[in-house]
Amino acid sequence: MALYSEKVMDHFRNPRNVGAIEDADAVGEVGNAKCGDIMKIYMKIEDDTIVDVKFETFGCGSAIASSSMATELIKGKKLSEALTLTNKAVTEALDGLPAHKIHCSVLAEQAIKSALKNYYIKNNIEYDKTVLPDDIECAHCHEEE
């Protein structure tokens, strides 16, 4: 069996939704240069729906593939749906990731949550602090310290 699935390789070689959105309604960034992976996600939101989403990721192929797949999974979704996206769903959509690369899918989930929290705060919208805590960050990065 290959280390990476065809879907991982496709999203790494041909990432979807790459770039920045200059007038984004929401921006989330997670990661740590020391860890090696940094993800930044930009969203345009209209009527409680993510109408456009782009990402910039500095990291390995799994991080790029996870970012690409995560953006595909939330584009066109209601904010409440995007908020429920898990790293497991990202990993499954990619037909799996090696165990030592699962943190890349976690980073994608956390970047989305960070962007949604940014949106709620900028627009004075109440949100569940148990779902979007104050410290949305890369747990893997802290393991490395």
Side-chain angles (χ1 to χ4, degrees), residues 22-36:
E22 293 303 320
D23 59 344
D25 298 307
V27 179
E29 183 174 351
V30 293
N32 183 321
K34 195 163 47 167
C35 166

Side-chain angles (χ1 to χ4, degrees), residues 5-144:
S5 72
E6 285 299 316
K7 280 190 184 177
V8 171
M9 295 307 296
D10 181 41
H11 277 267
F12 167 63
R13 290 184 183 124
N14 307 292
R16 284 66 153 179
N17 308 306
V18 175
I21 298 175
E22 293 303 320
D23 59 344
D25 298 307
V27 179
E29 183 174 351
V30 293
N32 183 321
K34 195 163 47 167
C35 166
D37 296 315
I38 299 172
M39 291 184 186
K40 192 166 189 177
I41 290 187
Y42 305 83
M43 297 177 187
K44 283 299 285 177
I45 299 168
E46 293 174 12
D47 298 322
D48 201 41
T49 301
I50 299 169
V51 295
D52 195 13
V53 58
K54 298 207 178 293
F55 77 92
E56 296 175 315
T57 293
F58 176 81
C60 66
S62 294
I64 293 166
S66 292
S67 299
S68 174
M69 180 57 80
T71 60
E72 288 287 283
L73 292 171
I74 65 168
K75 194 174 202 175
K77 302 283 191 230
K78 292 287 187 187
L79 300 184
S80 58
E81 291 177 85
L83 202 50
T84 65
L85 182 71
T86 64
N87 75 295
K88 184 177 180 192
V90 173
T91 301
E92 287 173 357
L94 288 169
D95 292 337
L97 285 170
H100 67 284
K101 293 297 184 177
I102 294 296
H103 73 276
C104 295
S105 63
V106 172
L107 217 54
E109 174 188 340
Q110 291 169 327
I112 290 165
K113 286 182 176 178
S114 177
L116 292 173
K117 182 177 176 182
N118 170 258
Y119 176 75
Y120 293 141
I121 290 170
K122 279 185 1 184
N123 292 284
N124 295 313
I125 299 170
E126 287 289 319
Y127 62 92
D128 184 345
K129 291 185 192 287
T130 61
V131 176
L132 298 173
D134 289 336
D135 59 344
I136 299 172
E137 54 192 33
C138 177
H140 175 74
C141 294
H142 294 290
E143 290 171 8
E144 303 286 315

